[in-house]
Amino acid sequence: ILVIDSASSIFGKYYAEILRTEGFNAFTVADVSTVTPATLANYDVAILAPTTLSATQVTTLTDWVTAGGNLIAMRPDPQLAGLLGLNPVGSTLTNGYLLVNTAQAPGNCIVNQTIQFHGVADRYSLNGATSVALLYSNANTSTANPAVSLRAVGSNGGQAAAFTYDLATSIVYTRQGNP
């Protein structure tokens, strides 16, 4: 597992803490500026903290996923929308809710009630991805926009998942309060 961080991501390093809490200890943290195709070739999974990407970085990640890599992008740069199977709709939702689809994997065994998130979610429509969880504008009102999505990429088993909000920010704000 490679955690890709950036100086611009306020809580990007917190993804390493989340992994440790869940019992994962075989991972590396790298700044996005140091990630190359050769770097990614050493990993099966990459977790990308929210950051602005260059065209070269988008191509590097796209090529890696197409070759069989598994990307989990947190509040991804809109340039990754094609890889993620999403279309930006140009608006956001702040401090909303999400509901996981528990009827099928990977949502099985997750709570089947709305869960509040803290921070900002970008709104997308699906364009080849499957919704794992939907955004809700309040605890009872769904939107058509995914909160979490998953897309199979290429013929080598690559997958691209997107959290349309920053999971680390939401966890920190939930546990410690919004600064």
Side-chain angles (χ1 to χ4, degrees):
I1 300 172
L2 177 64
V3 177
I4 304 172
D5 188 18
S6 161
S8 66
S9 179
I10 296 171
F11 296 117
K13 289 189 181 1
Y14 193 62
Y15 289 104
E17 299 309 316
I18 293 170
L19 289 173
R20 284 185 191 100
T21 300
E22 294 299 322
F24 293 95
N25 57 15
F27 64 87
T28 302
V29 178
D31 187 272
V32 68
S33 65
T34 66
V35 175
T36 65
T39 305
L40 284 171
N42 295 312
Y43 298 94
D44 296 321
V45 176
I47 300 170
L48 178 63
T51 189
T52 301
L53 299 172
S54 69
T56 300
Q57 291 165 329
V58 170
T59 299
T60 296
L61 289 167
T62 300
D63 291 349
W64 175 73
V65 173
T66 302
N70 298 289
L71 177 66
I72 304 168
M74 305 295 177
R75 196 164 183 225
D77 184 314
Q79 295 178 85
L80 287 175
L83 170 64
L84 297 167
L86 302 172
N87 281 328
V89 297
S91 62
T92 60
L93 177 64
T94 302
N95 297 326
Y97 290 76
L98 62 95
L99 179 64
V100 176
N101 177 358
T102 59
Q104 59 188 22
N108 298 112
C109 300
I110 297 178
V111 67
N112 64 351
Q113 297 175 359
T114 54
I115 306 167
Q116 186 173 24
F117 71 87
H118 298 283
V120 178
D122 295 314
R123 292 185 180 213
Y124 291 91
S125 61
L126 296 172
N127 185 23
T130 301
S131 178
V132 175
L134 278 179
L135 288 174
Y136 273 58
S137 55
N138 60 50
N140 300 309
T141 308
S142 70
T143 71
N145 313 114
V148 182
S149 65
L150 181 63
R151 177 178 181 229
V153 179
S155 59
N156 294 315
Q159 294 189 357
F163 282 67
T164 62
Y165 64 100
D166 182 9
L167 179 63
T169 295
S170 183
I171 291 171
V172 170
Y173 285 7
T174 298
R175 294 292 196 182
Q176 298 176 359
N178 186 337

